[in-house]
Amino acid sequence: MKIQRVIAMGVLLAGAGSHSAGAEPAVPAIATSAETPDQGIDRAAAGDEDPAAMYDLGRKFDEGLGVAADERQAFQWYSRAAARGHAESMNRLGILYAQGRGVPQDYVAALAWYQQAAARGSLTAVSNVATLYFYGLGVPQSYPKAARLLEVAAQQGAADAQNKLGAMYNDGLGVAQDQRKARDLFRQSAGQGYPPAMVNLGRMYTEAIGGERDEIRGFAWIQAAINVGVPASMTELAYFELGAATARLNRRQLARAQQMARQLPAAGSPAGEPSLPAPAEAARKLASR
């Protein structure tokens, strides 16, 4: 079984929840004593024309956070925020087009929105452009181009890009195969609490890929990922590897591994990626080609 690349469409094109440069952090407007925080967001979005609040409202409809999910409403609010320069809203519009949610599926439109978001510093958008090149969706298929884009975002600390680039090094796609480098990239990403990378790193340890075998550490990373929540595309792999590692541990080792799992990073949203303080020239140029 190969390392799970997490280059499944649902994961790679998700990119949800990241904050981008060129847009203010998505912080709800301060609610007055007579209104709830959600009402404060609604007021700021509709009345104050605050793009960050518009993004928050779009995300509520997109993900069904406290409201019935409504992809068309999400599209409308993201569009309004994007028109005011909100980078993550641009990235979200790209995701909706790529997945065909709320709008007809259109990879060319997705690429255009990702490129605009990347030009404003969104590392998640750079990673999403790489996804399109990986699969050849709306662009000529190119593993090398995907790898170059991921390298830019990974060097800036984007956990999802580190994980995806690690998968490409593991399988030798677009780059010379280097499983030690893959393991190191998974470690960087997992250290930020990114569940897909935590599973991939755990498997590298349990299968002695790219370094020495460490069943205890491998179990711990996989268990920690499950505790945080792994994508549906990785659930089977995660539980399979966890079960296999459990069978190879004695009672004392298992107790130690479980304790270690509780101490490992447990970040929030897998897509909570950092963004550049200003658009990175290399990322901007690569994404716009």
Side-chain angles (χ1 to χ4, degrees):
M1 185 185 296
K2 282 189 175 183
I3 286 284
Q4 171 66 30
R5 294 192 187 118
V6 194
I7 299 200
M9 291 298 296
V11 176
L12 268 183
L13 296 179
S18 59
H19 301 297
S20 301
E24 299 170 15
V27 178
I30 298 174
T32 68
S33 58
E35 64 184 10
T36 66
D38 280 351
Q39 289 172 329
I41 294 174
D42 296 346
R43 173 178 56 77
D48 298 344
E49 295 291 307
D50 179 359
M54 291 175 181
Y55 165 74
D56 275 351
L57 195 54
R59 185 163 169 256
K60 285 170 62 178
F61 284 112
D62 193 0
E63 301 177 20
L65 303 175
V67 297
D70 187 329
E71 293 162 354
R72 289 183 180 276
Q73 284 275 10
F75 179 85
Q76 291 175 10
W77 285 110
Y78 289 152
S79 295
R80 291 180 64 177
R84 290 160 178 79
H86 193 273
E88 183 52 29
S89 292
M90 296 174 185
N91 180 56
R92 290 280 187 138
L93 287 171
I95 293 168
L96 292 180
Y97 274 112
Q99 296 179 343
R101 295 191 298 109
V103 290
Q105 190 172 57
D106 185 338
Y107 293 119
V108 174
L111 175 64
W113 281 113
Y114 290 152
Q115 289 174 331
Q116 290 190 56
R120 288 165 174 78
S122 171
L123 297 180
T124 307
V126 174
S127 183
N128 286 340
V129 174
T131 301
L132 298 182
Y133 278 100
F134 186 94
Y135 287 109
L137 302 173
V139 293
Q141 196 281 334
S142 174
Y143 289 142
K145 179 67 177 289
R148 289 197 298 272
L149 285 162
L150 291 173
E151 187 75 47
V152 171
Q155 288 177 353
Q156 297 291 333
D160 71 327
Q162 291 166 343
N163 179 64
K164 295 167 195 172
L165 186 61
M168 295 187 75
Y169 271 105
N170 181 74
D171 292 344
L173 298 175
V175 293
Q177 187 176 40
D178 187 338
Q179 293 181 325
R180 287 188 177 277
K181 184 162 186 174
R183 186 164 173 164
D184 184 59
L185 284 161
F186 289 145
R187 185 183 297 110
Q188 292 176 47
S189 181
Q192 298 186 58
Y194 187 59
M198 295 163 77
V199 174
N200 284 336
L201 178 60
R203 186 166 186 269
M204 298 290 268
Y205 279 123
T206 60
E207 300 294 333
I209 301 171
E212 295 182 358
R213 186 185 308 276
D214 189 331
E215 299 280 10
I216 293 175
R217 196 173 297 275
F219 175 100
W221 277 111
I222 297 170
Q223 181 64 69
I226 291 172
N227 292 345
V228 175
V230 297
S233 61
M234 298 195 75
T235 300
E236 184 178 355
L237 173 69
Y239 279 101
F240 174 84
E241 292 295 339
L242 189 70
T246 300
R248 295 190 291 264
L249 297 174
N250 60 39
R251 182 175 298 179
R252 179 175 296 179
Q253 290 171 326
L254 183 59
R256 182 181 169 196
Q258 290 170 334
Q259 180 181 13
M260 183 181 294
R262 291 190 292 269
Q263 298 171 343
L264 289 174
S269 167
E273 302 299 342
S275 295
L276 304 175
E281 190 68 15
R284 184 166 59 81
K285 287 182 178 179
L286 274 170
S288 62
R289 287 177 187 169

